[in-house]
Amino acid sequence: MKKNIEIRQRLQREDITFRDIARVLGYNHCTISRWFQKELTGERREQVENAILSLEAGRDYILNKDYAVDPQIDFGEFLRVMRKYYGKSQYELAEDLGVKQGTISSWETNKTYPPIDLAKDIIQSFGGELQIVAKLV
């Protein structure tokens, strides 16, 4: 029998990964994976549930049209959330844009940025506003 079945189902339904939870909690994703190998109880369960709520609230905020003018949003976060919202993997988006999957990963983590013209096209294709691009210049 799988441990933490309800939480695992919720993660799958909401398209949340161990990496997402790790990012919110400040842990390595391998640590989160180890947590799930045993039944989550007490403080760890609470931490995971709070991380899920945070990710869900963040996604809902990002999908709200007011988000597009928020100066706090960065290109990488926009790209990651919108890619997941539209059900694309990094590999699929990379193929669509004619780049490598690792390039998408670098953009999503803000390690590198796409050329401005490509960034504008990406943002507009996902329905975002160009204020996000202004942060790249």
Side-chain angles (χ1 to χ4, degrees):
M1 184 164 131
K2 255 187 173 177
K3 306 255 189 258
N4 311 300
I5 191 74
E6 305 87 17
I7 293 179
R8 287 177 182 274
Q9 289 172 340
R10 187 172 171 196
L11 294 177
Q12 185 175 14
R13 185 174 57 249
E14 298 297 332
D15 192 27
I16 296 173
T17 66
F18 289 163
R19 287 183 192 277
D20 295 329
I21 293 172
R23 183 174 46 84
V24 169
L25 297 178
Y27 290 102
N28 182 293
H29 73 277
C30 294
T31 299
I32 304 301
S33 178
R34 281 193 299 274
W35 287 6
F36 273 80
Q37 291 171 3
K38 298 178 181 175
E39 189 65 35
L40 282 174
T41 59
E43 185 179 333
R44 284 190 177 160
R45 184 177 184 95
E46 186 176 331
Q47 284 180 308
V48 169
E49 288 176 345
N50 286 337
I52 293 169
L53 288 173
S54 174
L55 289 161
E56 290 171 341
R59 182 202 55 229
D60 291 344
Y61 173 68
I62 285 172
L63 296 178
N64 178 331
K65 288 299 178 187
D66 293 340
Y67 129 86
V69 294
D70 185 344
Q72 300 302 314
I73 194 67
D74 60 49
F75 178 81
E77 184 69 6
F78 173 85
L79 182 61
R80 184 186 69 79
V81 170
M82 296 309 286
R83 175 184 57 77
K84 286 187 171 192
Y85 177 75
Y86 284 99
K88 290 192 176 263
S89 67
Q90 287 182 342
Y91 180 79
E92 291 168 329
L93 182 59
E95 278 192 336
D96 292 349
L97 298 173
V99 297
K100 295 180 180 179
Q101 182 269 327
T103 302
I104 300 296
S105 177
S106 292
W107 293 347
E108 289 183 357
T109 57
N110 294 310
K111 290 180 182 171
T112 62
Y113 297 100
I116 292 296
D117 290 343
L118 183 56
K120 288 178 184 177
D121 292 343
I122 293 167
I123 290 169
Q124 288 177 329
S125 72
F126 282 137
E129 299 292 331
L130 293 182
Q131 288 89 335
I132 298 167
V133 174
K135 293 174 76 176
L136 299 176
V137 179

